[in-house]
Amino acid sequence: YYVMRVGELALVPYYRPGDVRLADAVREAAVSHACVLLANHGPVIAGKGLNEALYALEELEETAKLHLLLQGRKTKPLTREDVRELLG
């Protein structure tokens, strides 16, 4: 569901709140990503509607929680072919 709801997550480096470089970095990332994670700030999520954005946010949060709970245990991520099939 992460791939279908979030897709590829862009990470924007830390800039202090109000810094114009933060806005510029988000604008640049948002051209090709519906979900952007601001380092030290949190997520910015876009969708076709409020519900779609909320579902993507929930999926991002649950995936992050799993990542932290697994604490480096071996996982089997999807291959690029698997992702293309889901998005195709």
Side-chain angles (χ1 to χ4, degrees):
Y1 286 108
Y2 178 88
V3 170
M4 294 182 292
R5 297 226 191 260
V6 176
E8 186 177 344
L9 180 65
L11 177 61
V12 171
Y14 174 78
Y15 297 101
R16 67 172 179 73
D19 189 324
V20 71
R21 294 175 298 171
L22 177 59
D24 292 341
V26 170
R27 184 181 309 107
E28 183 178 320
V31 169
S32 56
H33 298 84
C35 299
V36 178
L37 184 59
L38 311 181
N40 301 82
H41 295 295
V44 175
I45 310 290
K48 293 179 182 173
L50 184 58
N51 282 340
E52 184 179 303
L54 179 61
Y55 298 149
L57 175 61
E58 288 174 341
E59 195 62 43
L60 177 59
E61 288 178 342
E62 287 301 313
T63 301
K65 183 170 83 175
L66 284 172
H67 177 76
L68 292 173
L69 289 171
L70 287 171
Q71 297 181 359
R73 290 186 178 98
K74 188 172 174 83
T75 60
K76 185 183 177 288
L78 296 177
T79 66
R80 288 191 185 275
E81 183 178 309
D82 294 333
V83 171
R84 277 194 298 271
E85 182 181 345
L86 285 172
L87 298 176

